[in-house]
Amino acid sequence: MKIGFIGLGNMGAPMARNLAAAGHEVHGYDITGILVEGVTQAATVEAAVKDAPIIITMLPNGAILREVADQLLPHASKGACLIDCSTVDVDSARLVADLATKKGLLSVDAPVSGGIGGAEAGTLTFMCGGSKDAFAIAKPLFEIMGQKAVHCGEAGNGQAAKICNNMILGITMIGTCEAIALADKLGLDRQSLFDVVSTSSGYSWTMNAYCPAPGIGPKSPSDNGYKPGFAATLMLKDLLLAQQAAKGVDAATPLGTHAADLYQTFVTEDLDDLDFSAMLPYLAAKGHS
Ligand code: NAD
């Protein structure tokens, strides 16, 4: 099956490669002219999407998604399914879904979790919004690029699920780092804290599976000098999307707001593109205020 794939960056390139390796005829386009093994390089958006029953986008943000949608929709075949895997604001996802419907296309917003490692290994999780029919068409492709796809309801709900999940993740990471930094100053060693918390009511994915303290728990970016992993800049992006959405629907997210502020300061102060778990050395170096 011909698949038009737009956006061949850190995530898009391995996803397109996995689709090609599974036997699909993938035509990829990226403004920077990236070449991907097994993928036919298209010279334009039009060439990538022409006669393709499936079009996948993996782009940096909502503004670029809207721009690319304007470029591709006039050339897409009626009945084709547009699958956007980028993380974008809910409003852009719903706008692009509306435009696609008006052109006689099906669409799914399907942001992912699992990072670059998950994209390479084909183990991503897809959070999906769109009609049942669109999800059914996209599902076999999610099974190639990932290990789980959850249909969350109508257009935009995939993006809603993604920002809610990552708001919890950001808040929980900060809480985990605060507790470790406090334990340090109370003279409680990190391994003992981990042994207690990871089997008690304070347990979480950030403590148990992605511990921000080096040498504790399973291997994580903290064991690799906080090289991402999941970059703090991407966490900030998702927390700001959550704040934008919360404002739009008048939802109270006091800790989400605070987490966004903290990651904003972290990203501004730390010039290196560190993993989001580097919030631990950042907080450990500060005092109570
Ligand atoms: P990236 O910047 O590496 O890739 C984006 C690609 O889009 C780039 O290669 C860029 O050249 C291309 N692009 C930009 N404008 C374009 C245009 N007009 N036409 C065609 N191509 C264009 O980003 P990434 O890390 O691959 O992330 C992609 C999306 O996935 C983002 O929305 C990000 O938030 C989300 N995401 C990333 C991760 C991660 O760990 N990197 C994890 C989950 C979700």
Side-chain angles (χ1 to χ4, degrees), residues 55 69-70 72-74 76-83 92-108 155:
I55 299 163
D70 285 343
L72 74 83
L73 286 172
S77 310
K78 221 172 179 227
C81 184
L82 173 61
I83 306 169
S92 291
R94 291 190 173 147
L95 178 90
V96 168
D98 266 1
L99 293 174
T101 306
K102 285 188 184 122
K103 289 275 177 186
L105 271 73
L106 295 160
S107 70
V108 189

Side-chain angles (χ1 to χ4, degrees), residues 56-282:
I56 302 179
T57 47
M58 192 48 164
L59 297 161
N61 57 48
I64 295 177
L65 171 67
R66 294 195 304 272
E67 185 189 307
V68 168
D70 285 343
Q71 287 168 21
L72 74 83
L73 286 172
H75 308 290
S77 310
K78 221 172 179 227
C81 184
L82 173 61
I83 306 169
D84 176 44
C85 297
S86 332
T87 303
V88 304
D89 55 287
V90 176
D91 289 346
S92 291
R94 291 190 173 147
L95 178 90
V96 168
D98 266 1
L99 293 174
T101 306
K102 285 188 184 122
K103 289 275 177 186
L105 271 73
L106 295 160
S107 70
V108 189
D109 52 288
V112 303
S113 84
I116 299 166
E120 279 165 358
T123 55
L124 294 168
T125 294
F126 292 85
M127 299 154 240
C128 310
S131 68
K132 280 190 180 139
D133 288 351
F135 180 69
I137 292 170
K139 198 162 179 257
L141 304 170
F142 296 146
E143 281 162 6
I144 295 168
M145 298 183 284
Q147 61 186 3
K148 194 172 164 115
V150 182
H151 188 207
C152 302
E154 65 187 37
N157 283 13
Q159 299 295 347
K162 165 92 188 180
I163 53 172
C164 288
N165 181 72
N166 280 16
M167 188 173 77
I168 295 172
L169 178 63
I171 292 169
T172 315
M173 178 56 86
I174 293 167
T176 301
C177 294
E178 282 185 4
I180 297 172
L182 172 62
D184 286 348
K185 292 193 174 171
L186 292 172
L188 169 61
D189 75 83
R190 290 177 169 190
Q191 186 63 55
S192 302
L193 178 74
F194 177 85
D195 292 344
V196 171
V197 172
S198 64
T199 54
S200 301
S201 48
Y203 84 93
S204 63
W205 184 85
T206 55
M207 178 63 93
N208 291 35
Y210 203 90
C211 185
I216 314 273
K219 277 245 164 307
S220 70
S222 65
D223 299 308
N224 193 20
Y226 294 100
K227 186 169 171 276
F230 187 51
T233 47
L234 286 175
M235 173 49 79
L236 175 61
K237 171 189 170 181
D238 294 355
L239 287 169
L240 292 174
L241 287 175
Q243 285 306 295
Q244 184 182 342
K247 260 191 210 125
V249 295
D250 195 24
T253 54
L255 290 182
T257 306
H258 207 100
D261 288 347
L262 255 174
Y263 273 106
Q264 182 76 71
T265 315
F266 174 93
V267 165
T268 313
E269 286 181 19
D270 267 83
L271 294 175
D272 289 324
D273 196 9
L274 295 175
D275 187 77
F276 82 119
S277 60
M279 185 56 81
L280 174 57
Y282 177 79

